[in-house]
């Protein structure tokens, strides 16, 4: 029987019923369907937050105002008029200022599906009109993207793809030490879609096979209950010091695998001189580490001894490096694994990102499916993605990145699709100031997000349930035809149709569309996929058959991957693509850059904000991890995410001791504040959080309001408070997890949320 499917980053679904009666059932073979999906259909139907018609900000329409992007009304217009205005504005900016004045970096997760991928569509369109300034790397793991090639010779993607597969750990690992945990919460998603969720299942198997699991995190729930009796909670952002203390304990007890270091690494002499204090006079003993991390020296020694006597995998979650000097825990974790000699063994070594998304460690063959061609971008200017506010605030200013110095171009027009910078970027009040700089902001959105509300021209786009697409992901065996299940909401169109409308007006329609409509493109991608599959002896059904059956499962191999396997077997025949051909514990290339915030080997550097700094007394470290009930800000207006709120506010997790100290009760509204901003949240008390921590998930739609003269985000977006600083001059990654805040009980009236309702509309 023909089935209809829907697919998202959080899972795959069978559609039941039609229109008002549409329901989505997780596919039957998904062992652990996500929580997130429970809010999908409700969010898509939510009339309060969906965008119905094209809209233009009133101040911009009347007089090209750019100062009032944070609080203006909108004028709804017809499609032709909106497209005419946007096309004329693009033309003007290109003619007067050139394509270097357009920012199309437009970061964000968008939706699953190979054709309607929002950023690919935007780039393809902008490239037909001369290109745009782009963004490099991610908010997820920017330090890995820049650092790993220099020290392992692998790109971050290659590193993730080749990490030891779960079955090897289940069979061989004796001790799994998890910095930042390995969490089913984050393992709900995979960029571009997944048909299954199996991370907690693999952890159960590793546990059942007798491995000990140790969680190192300020939040105990970063590991499923029952799997890791041992919970170590150092001060946030001090993992590098803990790793260094562990390394010292190995030296102290003569348990360093010096044979491994000599054969497979360079730079150990530099690192050892630093660890012992020969180079700087400070011995990095467990006592030294205890002073920084707040842990007991004896427990650091005990863990080091256990690591030396058991086959140990050191796992570092991506979130650990989303912090000031985020390169360091990554590099030091790798160095520690090298000192233990476990790299290249099936049960040991170093991992970066198990559980951070669901496919990491998944066994099976990878297939590099085709994607929408983006064309050529002649503009070479770029930013490291998290430097967006700096870009807008400092045209002509310079920044360093991966060994070179670059300049910020002068941006006049921002075109954003498939992302929500007014949730994802750090220090949103600073971004709001930066956002007054461009002359024009265009946004395509499904919902009236905080970013759509801050655009001049808003194009309403349909959600994935309202268009057809194909899910193909190199790390998932299922190929899924995503049926159009609902009529387009209001007057919304696909992003593709928006660009066709613009391209037509700009004279580039033929180059952009190549004469294809949606179905033509899906057929085109499918025929490219068929050729790719054939090379791996996989015979795909023809397009019509695939569309009818809805799902095709590629034959699954049980390929397991052993990272660094060939290199360890023969480092001379199979050198790494680093300057030395080996793992670089000291990188002369990085040392020669002379960066104070990222020297030639891993070191402990104090973060810009942390609990160990003078004056931190009474402050809490804000940890803003990924939300359980949504994907970042996506589906926040849906029923599942809303049901998690406390009196409509985002929950902030606090230790009962913290609450007592500040006179806060469970369910109270609290005010979090620092010199960058203020936000409200709803207190949830739990012993699973370190006492000097506030854990507030990302993604609550930003809703700043003037309350008694103060600007307060009344909903609970942590980026009201976070620090907007590159984590070093090497990677310029974001440092979201480096933030101190004050907390107090909110005693004022609770202002109603506005962000889940339509903005104000004005007549002409
Ligand atoms: N404090 C703090 N901040 C963080 C993080 C953190 O740990 N702490 N994590 C960071 C990380 S790792 C990430 S990846 C970012 C995530 O930040 P984003 O990726 O920006 O977050 P999303 O909410 O997924 O935004 C996607 C937007 O695209 C829209 N969208 C979906 N599909 C389509 C489509 O087909 N077309 C168009 N036009 N729009 C579409 C959605 O409605 C949504 O508004 O957040 C970062 N921010
Ligand atoms: N449900 C859901 N899943 C998601 C996402 C989502 O939005 N929703 N987003 C996806 C995306 S884009 C990404 S990049 C990944 C991110 O995946 P991760 O980066 O692994 O997830 P985070 O929750 O940001 O961080 C993991 C944990 O690290 C801990 N932590 C924070 N700071 C420190 C520290 O200094 N030391 C230690 N030891 N621990 C610390 C926090 O308690 C946090 O729970 O998640 C993906 N998965
Ligand atoms: Mo991410």
């Amino acid at each position: 029987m023909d089935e209809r499917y829907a697919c998202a980053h959080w899972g795959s679904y069978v559609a039941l019923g039609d229109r008002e009666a549409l329901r989505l059932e997780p596919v039957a073979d998904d062992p652990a369907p996500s929580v997130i999906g429970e809010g999908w259909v409700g969010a898509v139907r939510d009339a309060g937050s969906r965008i119905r018609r094209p809209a233009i900000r009133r101040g911009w329409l009347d007089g090209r105002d750019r100062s009032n992007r944070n609080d203006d009304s909108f004028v709804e217009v017809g499609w032709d008029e909106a497209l005419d205005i946007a096309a004329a504005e693009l033309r003007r900016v290109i003619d007067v200022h050139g394509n270097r004045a357009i920012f199309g970096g437009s970061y964000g997760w968008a939706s699953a599906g190979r054709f309607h991928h929002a950023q690919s569509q935007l780039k393809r369109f902008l490239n037909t009109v001369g290109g745009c300034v782009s963004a490099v790397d991610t908010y997820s793991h920017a330090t890995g993207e820049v650092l790993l090639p220099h020290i392992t010779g692998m790109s971050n993607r290659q590193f993730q793809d080749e990490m030891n597969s779960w079955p090897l750990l289940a069979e061989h690992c004796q001790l799994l030490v998890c910095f930042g945990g390995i969490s089913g919460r984050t393992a709900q998603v995979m960029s571009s879609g997944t048909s299954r969720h199996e991370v907690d299942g693999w952890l159960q198997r590793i546990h059942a096979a007798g491995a000990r699991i140790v969680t190192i995190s300020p939040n105990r729930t970063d590991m499923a209950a029952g799997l890791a009796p041992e919970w170590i909670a150092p001060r946030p952002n001090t993992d590098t010091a803990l790793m260094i203390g562990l390394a010292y304990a190995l030296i102290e007890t003569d348990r360093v695998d010096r044979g491994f270091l000599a054969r497979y690494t360079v730079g150990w002499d530099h690192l050892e001189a630093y660890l012992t204090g020969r180079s700087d006079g400070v011995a990095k003993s467990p006592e030294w580490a205890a002073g920084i991390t707040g842990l007991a020296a004896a427990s650091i020694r005990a863990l080091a001894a256990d690591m030396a006597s058991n086959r140990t995998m050191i796992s570092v979650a991506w979130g650990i490096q989303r912090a000031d000097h985020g390169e360091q825990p990554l590099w030091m974790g790798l160095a520690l694994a090298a000192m233990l000699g476990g790299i290249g063994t099936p049960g040991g070594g170093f991992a970066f990102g198990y559980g951070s998304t669901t496919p990491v460690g998944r066994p099976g063959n990878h297939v590099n499916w085709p994607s929408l061609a983006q064309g050529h971008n002649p503009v070479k200017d770029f930013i490291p993605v998290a430097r967006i506010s700096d870009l807008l605030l400092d045209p002509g200013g310079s920044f360093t990145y991966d060994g070179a110095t670059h300049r910020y171009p002068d941006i006049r027009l921002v075109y954003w699709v498939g992302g929500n910078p007014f949730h994802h970027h750090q220090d949103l009040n600073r971004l709001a100031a930066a956002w007054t700089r461009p002359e024009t902001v265009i946004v395509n959105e499904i919902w009236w997000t905080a970013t759509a509300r801050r655009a001049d021209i808003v194009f309403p786009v349909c959600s994935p349930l309202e268009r057809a697409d194909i899910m193909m992901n190199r790390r998932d065996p299922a190929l899924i035809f995503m049926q159009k299940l609902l009529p387009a909401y209001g007057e919304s169109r696909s992003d593709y149709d928006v660009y066709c409308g613009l391209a037509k007006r700009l004279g580039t329609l033929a180059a952009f569309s190549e004469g294809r409509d949606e179905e033509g493109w899906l057929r085109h991608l499918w025929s490219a996929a068929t050729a790719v599959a054939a090379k791996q002896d996989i015979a795909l059904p023809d397009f019509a058959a695939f569309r009818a059956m809805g799902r095709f499962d590629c034959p699954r191999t049980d390929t397991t991957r052993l990272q660094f396997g060939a290199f360890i077997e023969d480092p001379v025949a199979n050198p790494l693509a680093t300057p030395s051909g080996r793992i670089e514990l000291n990188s002369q290339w990085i040392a020669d850059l002379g960066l104070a915030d990222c020297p030639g080997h891993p070191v402990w550097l104090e973060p810009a904000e942390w609990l160990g700094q003078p004056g931190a007394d009474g402050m809490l470290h804000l940890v803003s991890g990924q939300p359980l009930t949504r994907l970042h800000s996506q589906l926040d207006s849906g029923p599942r995410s809303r049901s998690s709120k406390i009196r409509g506010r985002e929950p902030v997790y606090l230790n009962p001791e913290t609450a007592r100290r500040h006179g806060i009760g469970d369910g109270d509204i609290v005010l979090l504040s620092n010199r960058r901003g203020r936000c409200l949240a709803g207190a949830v008390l739990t012993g699973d959080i370190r006492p000097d921590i506030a854990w507030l998930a990302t993604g609550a739609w930003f809703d700043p309001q003037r309350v008694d003269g103060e600007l307060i985000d009344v909903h609970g977006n942590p980026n009201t408070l976070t620090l907007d600083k590159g984590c070093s001059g090497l990677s310029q990654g974001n440092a979201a997890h480096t933030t101190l805040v004050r907390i107090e009980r909110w005693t004022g009236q609770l202002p109603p949320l506005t962000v889940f309702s339509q903005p104000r509309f004005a007549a002409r």
Side-chain angles (χ1 to χ4, degrees), residues 91 102 120 128 168 207 219 254 322 346 392 395 410 472 481 488 506 527 545 548 561 569 578 648 679 703 712 721 745:
R91 180 82 279 150
I102 298 179
S120 306
T128 67
L168 297 185
H207 177 72
N219 182 346
D254 200 18
R322 218 169 292 123
L392 299 178
D410 187 358
M472 356 183 210
F481 189 88
L506 292 164
S527 90
R561 276 168 283 271
E569 206 175 278
T578 55
C679 79
D703 195 351
I712 299 181
L721 303 156
R745 193 160 74 87

Side-chain angles (χ1 to χ4, degrees), residues 44-123:
V44 164
R45 291 192 196 293
D46 183 56
S49 57
R50 283 295 299 263
I51 306 177
R52 281 187 311 250
R53 298 190 67 202
I56 303 199
R57 191 170 62 79
R58 185 177 184 177
W60 189 89
L61 189 62
D62 290 350
R64 292 296 189 267
D65 160 81
R66 27 180 180 153
S67 63
N68 196 24
R69 284 201 179 96
N70 291 324
D71 181 29
D72 203 350
S73 54
F74 286 85
V75 177
E76 291 186 310
V77 299
W79 272 101
D80 278 338
E81 186 178 0
L83 289 166
D84 286 346
I85 291 173
E89 188 57 10
L90 281 160
R91 180 82 279 150
R92 180 189 72 82
V93 171
I94 291 169
D95 288 350
V96 178
H97 304 287
N99 287 74
R100 289 184 68 213
I102 298 179
F103 181 70
S106 182
Y107 180 84
W109 265 54
S111 289
R114 256 321 204 274
F115 173 58
H116 291 291
H117 180 250
Q119 281 81 13
S120 306
Q121 291 277 354
L122 175 67
K123 285 179 185 148

Side-chain angles (χ1 to χ4, degrees), residues 143-461:
T143 71
E145 283 156 291
V146 179
L147 179 68
L148 286 174
H150 297 299
I151 63 173
T152 69
M154 283 181 239
S155 69
N156 182 68
R157 172 174 158 143
Q158 206 181 348
F159 198 90
Q160 304 283 322
D161 275 2
E162 292 177 12
M163 267 163 48
N164 285 16
S165 307
W166 292 119
L168 297 185
L169 291 195
E171 203 175 330
H172 301 281
C173 179
Q174 295 170 318
L175 178 59
L176 178 57
V177 179
C178 313
F179 290 87
I182 295 180
S183 169
R185 167 176 51 83
T186 48
Q188 290 184 90
V189 312
M190 156 146 89
S191 170
S192 75
T194 185
S195 63
R196 62 197 70 222
H197 299 87
E198 66 270 89
V199 168
D200 276 343
W202 282 113
L203 288 171
Q204 301 279 1
R205 282 175 61 175
I206 291 166
H207 177 72
R212 237 176 82 203
I213 303 179
V214 178
T215 308
I216 301 179
S217 171
N219 182 346
R220 180 176 210 149
T221 68
D222 282 340
M223 176 66 63
L227 294 185
E230 287 159 90
W231 176 36
I232 297 176
R235 283 175 171 153
N237 290 197
T238 66
D239 301 83
T240 307
L242 171 55
M243 291 165 173
I244 288 174
L246 290 165
Y248 187 98
L250 296 177
I251 297 175
E252 202 179 49
T253 53
D254 200 18
R255 305 203 62 174
V256 177
D257 188 338
R258 289 175 187 273
F260 184 96
L261 296 175
R263 194 167 151 80
Y264 299 111
T265 71
V266 287
W268 166 244
D269 46 337
H270 287 82
L271 183 58
E272 187 177 30
Y274 168 76
L275 295 172
T276 57
R278 223 167 44 241
S279 59
D280 66 356
V282 182
K284 314 298 180 310
S285 64
E287 283 72 21
W288 170 89
I292 294 169
T293 59
L295 303 174
S299 57
I300 299 175
R301 283 203 172 85
L303 181 59
D306 288 344
M307 290 168 91
S309 42
N310 291 284
R311 181 51 77 210
T312 299
M313 175 58 87
I314 296 170
S315 164
V316 174
W318 292 344
I320 308 301
Q321 56 78 60
R322 218 169 292 123
D324 202 13
H325 312 124
E327 293 84 357
Q328 304 309 319
L330 193 52
W331 204 349
M332 193 58 218
L334 181 72
L336 188 56
M339 292 172 70
L340 291 168
I343 293 175
T345 65
F350 172 75
F352 176 48
Y354 281 137
S356 292
T357 55
T358 201
V360 181
R362 179 186 272 183
N365 46 332
H366 291 165
V367 186
N368 286 314
W369 300 113
S371 52
L372 183 71
Q374 296 179 8
H376 172 70
N377 184 3
V379 177
K380 294 298 158 235
D381 302 77
F382 70 93
I383 56 164
V385 68
R387 301 279 48 84
I388 177 67
S389 292
D390 291 355
L391 165 72
L392 299 178
L393 287 167
D394 190 21
S398 68
F399 63 95
T400 62
Y401 168 76
D402 200 15
T405 301
H406 306 268
R407 283 196 182 283
Y408 293 119
D410 187 358
I411 298 300
R412 306 298 173 116
L413 185 149
V414 171
Y415 201 148
W416 214 295
V417 302
N420 187 1
F422 276 93
H423 115 72
H424 76 220
H425 190 56
Q426 287 56 65
D427 196 348
L428 292 177
N429 292 323
R430 183 168 186 259
L431 179 64
W435 210 248
T436 63
R437 297 296 185 91
E439 289 161 15
T440 303
V441 178
I442 310 178
V443 167
N444 298 359
E445 249 298 346
I446 304 168
W447 288 281
W448 278 113
T449 61
T451 301
R453 288 165 191 268
R454 284 161 182 75
D456 302 320
I457 303 173
V458 181
F459 289 115
V461 295

